Amino acid sequence: GIQVEQSPPDLILQEGANSTLRCNFSDSVNNLQWFHQNPWGQLINLFYIPSGTKQNGRLSATTVATERYSLLYISSSQTTDSGVYFCAANYGGSQGNLIFGKGTKLSVKP
Amino acid sequence: ETGVTQTPRHLVMGMTNKKSLKCEQHLGHNAMYWYKQSAKKPLELMFVYNFKEQTENNSVPSRFSPECPNSSHLFLHLHTLQPEDSALYLCASSREGAGGSGANVLTFGAGSRLTVL
């Protein structure tokens, strides 16, 4: 079946460090989104990025659709970046019908 | 505050109870979704509504009954649940089908954490 795989599953950083999170998907996608879930469960959309590169402050994302992967870059990490990062892909049907990966749990230490 | 409000935030119910989860969006979106997040499984889609019509049902057991009276409100009616149904239930909305910036981006509520005893 369709799969969305994220790596690494867990990541511990010192404040100020940079990191790269990876998302591999098993088939061509209609859209791909990155989300951050804070420790209280709130999911926030970070990027809608079916292809190309986008930047938003210290975060940026790149999706290479032809090679079926997406990367999320976090620069100068802060303790508030802690939480779980999910990528989710749409393969058809409603655009909001997303297949989620298992997430990367990020802990940023002061 | 994301513009998608879910109530209650926490719910404990017995297996014979009937309860409902409510979701309201103030974003002018036309599509609304229920997702389930269990402790050991990735987020999974349950239902999709577009302009208050159900467009997708991801093989959800009938003990979960959705209702969408209009494009701004979505309910999930619960009855005779099982302990394994304990999870975080997340509502989301999006502006689907239109182009432009922000189209198809999902906005989630804070979730309703359900415990079934």
Side-chain angles (χ1 to χ4, degrees):
Chain A
I2 295 169
Q3 294 183 349
V4 177
E5 297 181 348
Q6 293 186 243
S7 60
D10 296 279
L11 185 59
I12 300 174
L13 297 176
Q14 205 66 35
E15 198 168 27
N18 303 328
S19 63
T20 301
L21 282 57
R22 186 177 181 101
C23 173
N24 293 331
F25 39 92
S26 61
D27 206 340
S28 299
V29 298
N30 294 328
N31 79 68
L32 186 127
Q33 303 188 35
W34 282 96
F35 296 88
H36 173 237
Q37 188 171 38
N38 68 21
W40 298 271
Q42 178 69 65
L43 271 162
I44 298 295
N45 185 281
L46 299 175
F47 294 102
Y48 175 94
I49 186 164
S51 63
T53 297
K54 290 186 177 180
Q55 180 152 9
N56 184 359
R58 296 181 295 103
L59 302 181
S60 64
T62 295
T63 297
V64 183
T66 53
E67 297 186 22
R68 299 181 184 170
Y69 73 88
S70 183
L71 302 175
L72 178 69
Y73 305 96
I74 304 174
S75 65
S76 304
S77 59
Q78 301 176 359
T79 56
T80 52
D81 295 332
S82 296
V84 184
Y85 290 81
F86 293 100
C87 76
N90 171 263
Y91 293 94
S94 163
Q95 289 281 338
N97 184 341
L98 298 176
I99 306 295
F100 278 78
K102 293 183 179 180
T104 292
K105 184 176 181 180
L106 175 65
S107 298
V108 181
K109 306 297 185 184
Chain B
E1 178 60 52
T2 63
V4 179
T5 303
Q6 291 188 241
T7 55
R9 292 294 311 279
H10 300 273
L11 178 62
V12 179
M13 59 186 291
M15 289 190 286
T16 59
N17 291 158
K18 291 184 180 181
K19 298 287 185 183
S20 296
L21 306 181
K22 179 182 176 182
C23 177
E24 183 175 359
Q25 59 97 359
H26 307 276
L27 301 170
H29 290 167
N30 57 296
M32 297 188 76
Y33 314 83
W34 281 116
Y35 275 84
K36 176 182 179 182
Q37 187 175 30
S38 305
K40 299 182 179 179
K41 295 173 69 176
L43 274 116
E44 52 185 342
L45 178 71
M46 300 176 73
F47 302 102
V48 180
Y49 279 82
N50 199 328
F51 287 110
K52 77 179 184 179
E53 297 297 323
Q54 186 179 120
T55 57
E56 297 189 37
N57 176 336
N58 197 20
S59 302
V60 180
S62 59
R63 58 186 183 271
F64 295 92
S65 176
E67 178 190 0
C68 189
N70 54 59
S71 294
S72 299
H73 294 85
L74 184 64
F75 296 88
L76 188 62
H77 303 300
L78 316 169
H79 61 98
T80 59
L81 295 191
Q82 305 298 312
E84 58 264 30
D85 296 322
S86 298
L88 181 67
Y89 289 86
L90 291 157
C91 174
S93 69
S94 71
R95 180 168 54 86
E96 177 162 334
S101 174
N104 303 317
V105 173
L106 254 61
T107 301
F108 280 88
S112 294
R113 187 164 295 280
L114 172 67
T115 302
V116 182
L117 301 177

